[in-house]
Amino acid sequence: SGIVLAGVGVGIGLKKMDYDNIPMVALMSACFFVGSIIHVPIGLSSVHLLLNGVIGLLLGWMAFPAIMTALLLQAMLFGFGGITTLGINTLNMALPALIWGCLFGHAVKDMSSRWSAAGGFACGFLCVGTSAVLTAASLGLSNQGFIAPAKLILIAHLPIMLIEGVITSFIVVFLKKVRPEILEMSS
């Protein structure tokens, strides 16, 4: 079911993408790829940046092909995630990007810098939190043996939620000052 739903998202994202969007989609895919390769150990687990809040704000539906491409490259080059879980991993990362990016996108574009910063923070924070919940649910529902690691995923991502919120907020404020038209791309 994960690959089917991710496939639908990728299909819609590709349909919405035109030639002018390809460089931004590629750049966001590369940011996701690099950000998620750098693992920070936290206790028995490790976490990494996702940047799916930024991707959702900038790309909308095009987040699906961007994230799937990055995950596919990670699976092929480093063995992270894997091909068999590509669909559910894409869905767990791209769906929150789409939902929260759409919900906060208009506020980020139309508000003052202070409120845009708050919207950017909320989008980054909630994207990572929702991705962690979806990943934990996917693990927990797949096998009873994964319940403990699923709980650990939720706890380990609490600091990442804060960090991603701050990073997304800074990026939104910066883009509003130097290239506000980039924030219009996902519309």
Side-chain angles (χ1 to χ4, degrees), residues 13 35 47 101 110 149 178:
V47 294
D110 299 336
V178 298

Side-chain angles (χ1 to χ4, degrees), residues 5-35:
L5 293 172
V8 169
V10 169
I12 294 170
L14 290 173
K15 187 170 173 72
K16 291 187 174 284
M17 190 185 317
D18 61 20
Y19 290 115
D20 295 336
N21 300 131
I22 292 173
M24 181 60 78
V25 173
L27 178 65
M28 291 294 97
S29 185
C31 288
F32 183 88
F33 179 84
V34 171

